[in-house]
Amino acid sequence: MKLCDVGPRDGLQNESEVLEPAVRAELVNRLAAAGLPRVEAVSFVRADRVPQMAGAEGVVAGLQRRDGTEYSGLVLNEQGYERFAAAELDRVNVTLGATEEFNQRNGNASLAEATKRVERILAGAAEPATVTISVAFGCPFEGRVDPARVAELAMRFDGAEVVLADTIGVAAPREVRALVERTKAAGFHGHNTRNTGYANALAALEGGAQVLDASVGGLGGCPYAPRASGNVATEDLVYLLEHEGIETGVDLDALIRISEWLETVLGRKLEGQVYRAGLFPSE
């Protein structure tokens, strides 16, 4: 399995403080040095919509590329993909919502328009591609999402790595396992809003997923999803996986140090538990 740290993108986009590109690049570099096989470094979106993601090109310019780490960038539309392609990152993450209203709020498009837009980007992309289906289990505007709708969407993106996102943290393990199995999704992006995120991550693996998204320190949320709190914390997930006998290849001590550093940068305690509790002494 492969861990993707989305802290520099999904984590920071929900913070009230806007960090300079150089600081965000340092976060990406620290995560890569900790052995993360994939880091979502930036989002190529409009700065007036998500000011926390402004200056993506400056972040990319500050990266110290490390062998063994894949650097990805998120896009919502063709304009974002053009910026992504010019930045020469390794993987593009194209995202859309599973519901009409979420697409309108997040991408100013209908579900049909967003789907066709993703298909056009995939058809022209030269890089490996991920398609993240947001609000795959529940939408803050439309409520529960029909699994059949998500399965139909996932089928449209055959050939891309499909990741199912529990954007507002409403899913339970049984639902996650069943939908991953049904869609044959490659990955799962979970939020811990209702304290089910870690159990859901294990359920996704049981369902056949090979990629898990997480965010260092438990940072995160969606600006267009009310009360969508943080992702599962990368260090907490690594601790869990390693104790379940699942090798991650990630340096847990280094992750803890990154969260301690982020605490000073942001001036507050983060949502993660392991960086505060520390490793068990016998380790």
Side-chain angles (χ1 to χ4, degrees):
M1 57 83 60
K2 177 180 291 186
L3 283 176
C4 174
D5 195 294
V6 299
R9 198 277 305 173
D10 196 24
L12 293 180
Q13 75 174 8
N14 211 42
E15 290 293 314
S16 58
E17 185 176 355
V18 178
L19 300 184
E20 292 297 321
V23 178
R24 286 150 55 199
E26 182 176 355
L27 173 57
V28 176
N29 291 334
R30 286 177 182 239
L31 290 168
L36 265 299
R38 184 185 296 174
V39 180
E40 192 167 76
V42 289
S43 179
F44 295 97
V45 294
R46 287 170 43 180
D48 62 328
R49 294 291 300 274
V50 189
Q52 296 89 340
M53 293 292 101
E57 287 80 3
V59 176
V60 175
L63 299 183
Q64 299 166 359
R65 303 294 181 103
R66 174 188 175 276
D67 290 342
T69 296
E70 186 179 44
Y71 299 84
S72 72
L74 181 137
V75 306
L76 293 175
N77 51 38
E78 288 93 340
Q79 293 80 7
Y81 177 73
E82 289 174 4
R83 293 175 61 194
F84 166 87
E88 298 184 343
L89 292 175
D90 302 317
R91 174 177 289 271
V92 60
N93 182 7
V94 195
T95 185
L96 79 164
T99 67
E100 290 286 345
E101 188 64 22
F102 191 84
N103 281 298
Q104 292 287 356
R105 302 281 187 110
N106 197 48
N108 195 30
S110 69
L111 175 56
E113 290 168 338
T115 302
K116 291 177 181 176
R117 191 160 61 191
V118 171
E119 290 175 329
R120 289 195 301 269
I121 293 171
L122 294 178
E127 306 81 8
T130 295
V131 176
T132 297
I133 301 176
S134 300
V135 296
F137 299 89
C139 173
F141 313 111
E142 296 187 22
R144 288 288 176 183
V145 176
D146 184 354
R149 178 195 297 183
V150 180
E152 182 181 353
L153 263 181
M155 288 177 60
R156 298 281 294 267
F157 310 124
D158 186 41
E161 176 187 88
V162 173
V163 172
L164 304 180
D166 184 20
T167 309
I168 57 173
V170 293
R174 177 182 56 83
E175 300 166 300
V176 172
R177 186 184 305 107
L179 194 55
V180 170
E181 289 176 347
R182 180 172 181 173
T183 60
K184 296 180 172 56
F188 174 70
H189 175 108
H191 286 235
N192 200 41
T193 311
R194 291 164 178 82
N195 207 31
T196 57
Y198 300 96
N200 288 342
L202 290 181
L205 292 181
E206 292 170 359
Q210 300 95 42
V211 179
L212 293 178
D213 285 357
S215 177
V216 64
L219 293 175
C222 178
Y224 303 103
R227 296 193 292 179
S229 57
N231 299 266
V232 295
T234 310
E235 61 272 27
D236 294 17
L237 186 58
V238 167
Y239 183 89
L240 173 62
L241 292 172
E242 295 280 353
H243 280 263
E244 285 290 300
I246 302 171
E247 185 63 42
T248 66
V250 180
D251 185 338
L252 184 52
D253 282 317
L255 279 179
I256 289 172
R257 291 193 295 272
I258 294 169
S259 286
E260 290 171 343
W261 169 73
L262 269 175
E263 183 179 85
T264 64
V265 170
L266 297 172
R268 66 173 181 84
K269 285 188 176 180
L270 309 183
E271 299 298 322
Q273 299 289 317
V274 169
Y275 94 94
R276 284 181 278 166
L279 298 179
F280 192 62
S282 63
E283 299 180 66

